[in-house]
Amino acid sequence: MKAHARLTACFEGGRTVLRELRSMAPLTLLPKRGTGATAIVHLVNSATSPLGGDELKLTIRVGPGASLRLSGVAATIALPGLHGEGSVSEVDIEVDDGGSLEYLPEPTVVTARARHRAVFKASLAADAYLHTREVLVLGRAGERPGSLVTTQHVTRGEVPVLRQTLEIGDSTLDSSLAHLAGRRVLATDLVVGGPELPEESGEWWSRTPLAAGGTLTTSLAHDAVTALKALS
């Protein structure tokens, strides 16, 4: 299956309006009614996606001065294909001058034998704001994880802010979790354009200022709830 959902937010008449809202199964975009300056949209993924062989893409455009919050409703479950095919999900973001985007999806669970690749790309204007998080869960309870490659590429004013790739194999549960010090969940939280925060760390979490501006907070935990609590 190939699916491409699109969302475009513009600032008009003192508020943010949605100029394009195109869902395509299994990616469903549901706007929330309201009169605030920020447009709110919920992203609903089918419980049976992505399957091996699926190629899913979400394109988000935030115009000058617009403010958009896109949050997930249910976890993404990466499942194996019948013949070992891999799946791909891509998020492509552009935020123009003075624009603001909060992209807060629910966790991605990589099940046994799944082969999943996740790509996140964001191009921000020099004075744009972005807050996004990624929560990766290696396998369901009592299950070894599949293989995962996740890439984040963020630029601001054409200057690289973050470029990182994580690869985790599926040979055994123990060897896969060894990459994460025995923890099953890896969560990252990225803020670009917000207040400058100092470097700080605690038990199984750390916050790092980025050279081009912004902060990256990383958390390891045995479950998603604990990982998200550390990010907050």
Side-chain angles (χ1 to χ4, degrees):
M1 174 189 295
K2 292 186 178 181
H4 186 185
R6 297 182 59 91
L7 175 59
T8 300
C10 301
F11 186 73
E12 298 178 5
R15 64 189 183 95
T16 299
V17 297
L18 302 175
R19 279 297 163 205
E20 182 178 27
L21 187 73
R22 186 176 73 180
S23 300
M24 183 175 291
L27 302 175
T28 302
L29 298 167
L30 300 175
K32 180 180 178 181
R33 295 187 181 276
T35 58
T38 299
I40 300 175
V41 178
H42 297 303
L43 173 63
V44 182
N45 285 331
S46 167
T48 57
S49 70
L51 290 168
D54 287 352
E55 297 179 15
L56 310 180
K57 184 174 182 178
L58 173 63
T59 298
I60 305 169
R61 300 289 183 260
V62 180
S67 179
L68 173 66
R69 178 185 175 94
L70 177 60
S71 58
V73 172
T76 296
I77 311 295
L79 298 167
L82 292 176
H83 306 289
E85 307 95 328
S87 56
V88 180
S89 62
E90 180 180 348
V91 178
D92 185 7
I93 290 170
E94 288 185 12
V95 184
D96 290 335
D97 295 332
S100 172
L101 172 64
E102 291 182 273
Y103 174 61
L104 305 173
E106 289 296 299
T108 296
V109 182
V110 184
T111 64
R113 300 185 306 279
R115 294 172 48 236
H116 185 60
R117 180 164 61 92
V119 180
F120 178 89
K121 298 187 296 182
S123 177
L124 313 176
D127 61 347
Y129 173 84
L130 172 68
H131 176 205
T132 186
R133 71 181 175 216
E134 180 180 60
V135 181
L136 304 173
V137 182
L138 301 183
R140 292 169 288 197
E143 175 186 67
R144 67 180 179 87
S147 65
L148 169 70
V149 179
T150 176
T151 300
Q152 294 174 303
H153 182 190
V154 180
T155 61
R156 188 184 187 203
E158 300 184 358
V159 176
V161 172
L162 178 66
R163 288 181 179 174
Q164 68 175 12
T165 297
L166 171 70
E167 298 185 35
I168 296 179
D170 63 352
S171 55
T172 67
L173 177 61
D174 290 339
S175 65
S176 296
L177 296 183
H179 292 279
L180 304 181
R183 268 64 182 169
R184 182 181 296 276
V185 179
L186 170 65
T188 58
D189 189 87
L190 173 66
V191 178
V192 181
E196 296 296 327
L197 297 175
E199 181 178 354
E200 190 176 351
S201 63
E203 187 174 10
W204 299 108
W205 71 272
S206 66
R207 183 176 66 218
T208 304
L210 302 175
T215 57
L216 179 67
T217 305
T218 303
S219 169
L220 290 174
H222 291 294
D223 60 85
V225 173
T226 303
L228 288 170
K229 185 181 296 184
L231 296 184
S232 65

